[in-house]
Amino acid sequence: MSGEPDRPRVAVFRPDDERIESAVELLRSLGAEPVPDPMLEVEPTGAVPVDAPLVVLTSKTGVELAAEAGWEPGDADLAAIGPATAAAAREAGWTVDVVPEEYTSAGLVAALEPLVAGERVVVARSDHGSDVLLDGLREAGAEVTETVLYRLTRPDDAGDSAELAAGGDLDAVAFTSSLTVENVLAAAADRGVEDAARDGLADAVVGAIGPPTAETAADNGIETDVVPDEASFEALATAVVDALDDEATDGVDAGRS
């Protein structure tokens, strides 16, 4: 009697909070064996957005930190980069006025371009935000101020996934930001396995949550196999597991031919 087939091992790099827990639960429900390796640690700055007619929020974390600090939007309009950020803002009791069709910095610029000429705009986010948002809003005629709500650092103990990749023991990775790509490679270098980890990633299914993350991967010599249509972890995880299933099916078919 044959046993249950081994589940494919998928590395996930979300911060070490409820996000990594929900990511692990989701991957298991999809039939994968999660490898949780938090690559991001949140360090709040204590700053809050200054008064402005429009405040742009680019993450659920930023919303939660601003709310915990007692910030209220008052009469300001709020723009959120995507549904998760918007949901967090509404949970804080705020009204969200703009959510772009494309959940990226470029998508936010496209949605806000007709609204911001001559306006003061505050972009409240992490210290690793894309220049695409600031530059795009300024080109649209806005007077832009950036508020850094938190810094993102790499935890000292991160990097188990890099060693698994180096040993050929990782089937897939799910990159959720450009910084996770950079931090995985930095962790691999710190552990002396960067070249082997790169080889392992080349043999694995590489998923990126959106085009900017895929572009960062390409800039760092990593080819991306999967970019979901929707920039959410659920869509990314599903697409990665689907790609693994397709590989397994192709392998079985090849064995039968």
Side-chain angles (χ1 to χ4, degrees), residues 38-41 152-159 179 182-184 186-188 190:
M39 282 288 159
L40 301 175
E41 195 165 70
L152 290 170
T153 60
R154 175 165 55 94
D156 292 337
D157 57 352
L179 194 55
E182 295 163 354
N183 283 355
V184 166
D190 286 351

Side-chain angles (χ1 to χ4, degrees), residues 42-168:
V42 175
E43 294 182 355
T45 64
V48 295
V50 297
D51 291 339
L54 175 63
V55 176
V56 180
L57 300 161
T58 65
S59 70
K60 177 176 180 285
T61 297
V63 170
E64 291 170 347
L65 290 175
E68 287 169 11
W71 181 77
E72 291 287 342
D75 294 331
D77 287 339
L78 293 185
I81 197 167
T85 304
R90 293 183 183 113
E91 189 172 327
W94 307 339
T95 298
V96 177
D97 302 281
V98 178
V99 180
E101 291 184 8
E102 179 187 327
Y103 311 144
T104 64
S105 292
L108 264 175
V109 171
L112 294 173
E113 270 179 332
L115 310 173
V116 298
E119 292 284 358
R120 287 183 299 112
V121 178
V122 171
V123 175
R125 60 183 187 172
S126 79
D127 63 330
H128 283 275
S130 166
D131 289 338
V132 169
L133 180 54
L134 303 185
D135 293 346
L137 292 175
R138 286 174 179 141
E139 287 172 10
E143 179 187 331
V144 181
T145 300
E146 181 183 31
T147 299
V148 175
L149 301 174
Y150 58 101
R151 297 184 180 90
L152 290 170
T153 60
R154 175 165 55 94
D156 292 337
D157 57 352
D160 289 350
S161 61
E163 293 202 7
L164 287 172

